[in-house]
Amino acid sequence: MNSNLEFLSNHILGNNITEVLKIEKNRIHILGIGFPLLVDERGDLVKINNLSLDEKTSSRLNYLLWSLNFLNKKFQKSNDQFDALELRGRVVKLLITSIYNLEKSDTYDDVKTVMKYIEEERDYIKECMTPYALVNGSY
């Protein structure tokens, strides 16, 4: 996983790819690589492996993943200000690692653990970007 994470992260960052996340009916795509996670007609994740998600968990997880995609775009537009390149690297790695860990989830607790990790890391990234956000608009 670590070599794949590095490869995907470097490819996304090196090619300045903005859209790293795309959700379709039966797959979620990161950089065109599809992960078999079931998505409903609204685009919310409803099943990971054989584990069905309740509506609250599904909506929260979907929000977290899209917020990472938004942060990626925000940092890409920052022109390397306030350590944005390093933070963007963290966002990309977090997104890839999270999808990989979700795909490996066997229990509801596994999914909750991944979500908690995403929230904590995303909050840390947002704290680090506060000076940039105050100068260049909200996040």
Side-chain angles (χ1 to χ4, degrees):
M1 167 58 189
N2 199 26
S3 62
N4 289 340
L5 172 62
E6 289 301 319
F7 171 77
L8 284 174
S9 297
N10 291 336
H11 182 76
I12 291 168
L13 296 170
N15 292 309
N16 221 14
I17 294 172
T18 305
E19 291 292 335
V20 295
L21 181 67
K22 178 181 175 188
I23 296 178
E24 291 182 343
K25 184 176 181 181
N26 294 321
R27 293 200 171 294
I28 185 168
H29 297 268
I30 298 177
L31 192 62
I33 298 170
F35 294 90
L37 307 172
L38 186 61
V39 178
D40 68 9
E41 61 279 349
R42 293 184 333 172
D44 290 336
L45 298 167
V46 293
K47 191 179 265 190
I48 298 172
N49 295 327
N50 290 324
L51 184 65
S52 295
L53 302 177
D54 63 45
E55 188 174 333
K56 181 180 177 184
T57 303
S58 174
S59 293
R60 183 68 184 158
L61 181 56
N62 205 41
Y63 166 78
L64 289 169
L65 292 174
W66 280 110
S67 70
L68 293 178
N69 195 51
F70 173 78
L71 284 173
N72 174 59
K73 286 183 181 184
K74 183 81 169 171
F75 291 131
Q76 189 175 27
K77 293 178 183 179
S78 70
N79 299 322
D80 300 331
Q81 297 176 21
F82 298 99
D83 299 323
L85 187 58
E86 178 184 329
L87 292 174
R88 182 168 182 243
R90 284 184 80 126
V91 168
V92 169
K93 286 179 182 179
L94 176 60
L95 185 58
I96 294 168
T97 302
S98 298
I99 293 298
Y100 177 80
N101 289 335
L102 286 170
E103 186 179 31
K104 299 267 183 218
S105 294
D106 291 331
T107 67
Y108 216 71
D109 285 339
D110 291 344
V111 173
K112 295 276 189 179
T113 299
V114 172
M115 288 174 57
K116 183 174 181 186
Y117 175 69
I118 293 171
E119 287 178 333
E120 289 171 355
E121 185 69 13
R122 184 186 62 120
D123 289 347
Y124 172 77
I125 292 167
K126 287 174 75 173
E127 283 178 26
C128 291
M129 72 178 278
T130 300
Y132 168 74
L134 292 174
V135 172
N136 292 309
S138 65
Y139 55 91

